[in-house]
Amino acid sequence: MNGAREGWKPLDYGRAACDTMMRRFEAGELPPKGHFHYHQGVFLSGMYQIYELWTEEADRAEQYFRYIKSWVDSVIDEKGEVREYDSGQLDDIQPGVLLFPLLERTGDARYRKALDTLLDHIRNFRRNEIGGFWHKNRYPDQMWLDGLYMGGPISAEYAYRFERPEFFDCAVEQALLMRKVTEDKETGLWYHAWDCSGKAQWADPETGLAPEFWGRSIGWVPVAVLNELDFLPVEHPGYGDMCRLVQDLLSAVCRFQSPEGRWYQVVDKGGQEGNWLENSCSCLFSAAICKAVRKGLLDRSYLKAAAAGYEAVIRSLAWEGEDIQIGNVCIGTGVGDYRHYCERPVSVNDLHGVGAFLILCGEMARAEAMGT
């Protein structure tokens, strides 16, 4: 399969993905319909990147902004209250990042009210004995890598825009705690989750760690931390540690890239029976490498790995007329063993898969603009 289109640039693929999803869903119908959730949040965050980069054809680009606003307005009422979400799970806080550009553009006080509410939830979020956020109320004491993307970038941007430095401290604290408890010193990769109680079925009874390095969960980490570094002051005492976190993790990830260019569902076990090349983690890794190079955290030589990942993802695409088909994306997944990850179903045009693809297209476009 080769889904590449002759002469197309990253922004062309990004626009095709946005247009495909807009043809499929009215904004308010994005699944899970009516729910303020990261599935819509990551997709629309990716769409916003394409909107920002589309400097030509302003009228056409504006349709993306209107689409994002339409979804937000479908889930936030006239008083600035989010209609349907669970304040006890980090997944339902992440879409708050969409409120910043809407507030800046419109001045609508509803968006500030919603942001204040969401950040108050973060401030009071339940923590385990070392201070790490529970991933969800129904998973006591468990820290999942995914949670860094759900709660970190919104905290850092809120701190920056509204002069609330305690939220810088929160974002840094959670990232560094996660590194401390999940990083494998031998490979440099991070395990999917950690349960300080050791009671979870998947947890090692001695270490509390999940048994595997799941691709997409690791991919959220550098994407999240790099977004936080967009706002974190260089004089913050944790700034250097956050930079080193990105450098070390992405250096480790690159050692496990497949010859084909993508990364495996279980990152360190490429070629083992049942394992497979997964697109969403490949998008996130390649995007993060591009941004880390752009921010001066990695040498430009790393762009070869990012380009190989991007090209392999593009080759894996399919088309139905003008509709792009982004497959080989693992559906939403809890923590488990090797077989659990390998047997997860795949989806086509799943929202967090398309979102990861859009983030990749945006970062590759920026890399090309740098003359790479």
Side-chain angles (χ1 to χ4, degrees):
M1 178 185 298
N2 188 346
R5 294 216 161 172
E6 186 175 357
W8 275 36
K9 300 291 187 180
L11 274 184
D12 297 316
Y13 290 106
R15 289 193 292 259
C18 290
D19 294 346
T20 295
M21 300 305 284
M22 289 174 65
R23 284 190 288 268
R24 182 176 178 186
F25 297 106
E26 294 291 332
E29 300 293 317
L30 287 170
K33 181 181 177 181
H35 194 108
F36 196 77
H37 192 61
Y38 89 97
H39 285 193
Q40 299 104 322
V42 65
F43 164 57
L44 295 173
S45 295
M47 177 179 278
Y48 186 75
Q49 284 202 33
I50 304 303
Y51 161 75
E52 283 190 302
L53 290 164
W54 196 356
T55 56
E56 301 175 353
E57 299 180 294
D59 290 343
R60 288 187 63 197
E62 192 64 22
Q63 67 183 321
Y64 296 164
F65 188 89
R66 291 195 299 268
Y67 189 85
I68 295 166
K69 185 177 185 299
S70 293
W71 178 76
V72 171
D73 289 345
S74 76
V75 290
I76 292 181
D77 68 18
E78 65 279 359
K79 297 179 181 179
E81 296 178 356
V82 182
R83 289 193 171 94
E84 183 182 338
Y85 75 116
D86 180 354
S87 63
Q89 63 169 329
L90 292 171
D91 290 354
D92 284 9
I93 291 174
Q94 185 276 334
V97 296
L98 302 170
L99 301 173
F100 294 113
L102 294 179
L103 176 61
E104 183 176 42
R105 171 88 169 263
T106 69
D108 191 328
R110 295 180 305 129
Y111 303 134
R112 176 63 191 268
K113 169 72 181 302
L115 277 166
D116 290 344
T117 300
L118 293 170
L119 271 294
D120 193 55
H121 291 321
I122 288 179
R123 184 172 60 85
N124 295 299
F125 212 79
R126 301 186 75 171
R127 297 170 179 249
N128 60 23
E129 64 185 26
I130 68 166
F133 287 154
W134 294 14
H135 190 64
K136 298 181 182 181
N137 279 342
R138 69 176 184 267
Y139 300 140
D141 297 318
Q142 297 178 24
M143 296 166 64
W144 294 21
L145 303 188
D146 322 39
L148 295 183
Y149 178 78
M150 308 306 165
I154 189 175
S155 296
E157 188 164 358
Y158 187 87
Y160 172 81
R161 290 184 180 271
F162 305 125
E163 298 183 352
R164 296 288 299 275
E166 67 271 25
F167 287 103
F168 285 136
D169 299 339
C170 177
V172 171
E173 174 195 39
Q174 293 304 311
L176 298 183
L177 279 175
M178 192 72 77
R179 178 176 191 174
K180 179 180 179 180
V181 298
T182 67
E183 183 183 37
D184 176 62
K185 301 302 182 183
E186 182 176 346
T187 63
L189 300 175
W190 294 19
Y191 290 100
H192 185 182
W194 178 69
D195 178 6
C196 72
S197 73
K199 294 178 181 178
Q201 184 177 6
W202 47 259
D204 183 288
E206 294 185 5
T207 67
L209 285 166
E212 301 293 349
F213 305 116
W214 178 43
R216 188 162 67 233
S217 70
I218 299 173
W220 293 128
V221 175
V223 169
V225 174
L226 284 161
N227 287 351
E228 292 162 25
L229 287 170
D230 287 339
F231 302 102
L232 186 67
V234 294
E235 62 270 18
H236 190 281
Y239 185 88
D241 289 333
M242 295 286 270
C243 291
R244 285 186 286 275
L245 182 162
V246 170
Q247 292 165 334
D248 294 344
L249 181 53
L250 288 177
S251 296
V253 161
C254 286
R255 292 194 288 271
F256 292 95
Q257 187 175 23
S258 76
E260 183 260 11
R262 288 179 290 173
W263 280 264
Y264 279 88
Q265 167 81 335
V266 179
V267 176
D268 66 323
K269 294 180 177 176
Q272 292 194 22
E273 184 178 358
N275 208 358
W276 46 280
L277 294 165
E278 202 275 337
N279 272 340
S280 67
C281 75
S282 299
C283 289
L284 296 174
F285 292 149
S286 296
I289 292 165
C290 287
K291 187 167 183 177
V293 171
R294 179 160 57 85
K295 294 179 78 69
L297 301 182
L298 291 178
D299 183 81
R300 291 173 69 91
S301 62
Y302 279 87
L303 289 173
K304 294 180 181 178
Y310 166 77
E311 291 163 5
V313 169
I314 294 300
R315 289 193 300 269
S316 78
L317 300 174
W319 296 85
E320 290 184 0
E322 293 304 307
D323 285 351
I324 200 167
Q325 306 294 301
I326 304 166
N328 298 102
V329 172
C330 177
I331 66 168
T333 295
V335 186
D337 59 14
Y338 179 75
R339 182 175 178 181
H340 166 82
Y341 293 112
C342 291
E343 293 183 353
R344 294 302 287 166
V346 296
S347 61
V348 176
N349 289 353
D350 163 279
L351 285 184
H352 47 26
V354 178
F357 180 75
L358 291 172
I359 292 169
L360 170 60
C361 290
E363 289 301 336
M364 285 300 301
R366 290 184 173 97
E368 287 191 353
M370 290 168 52
T372 58

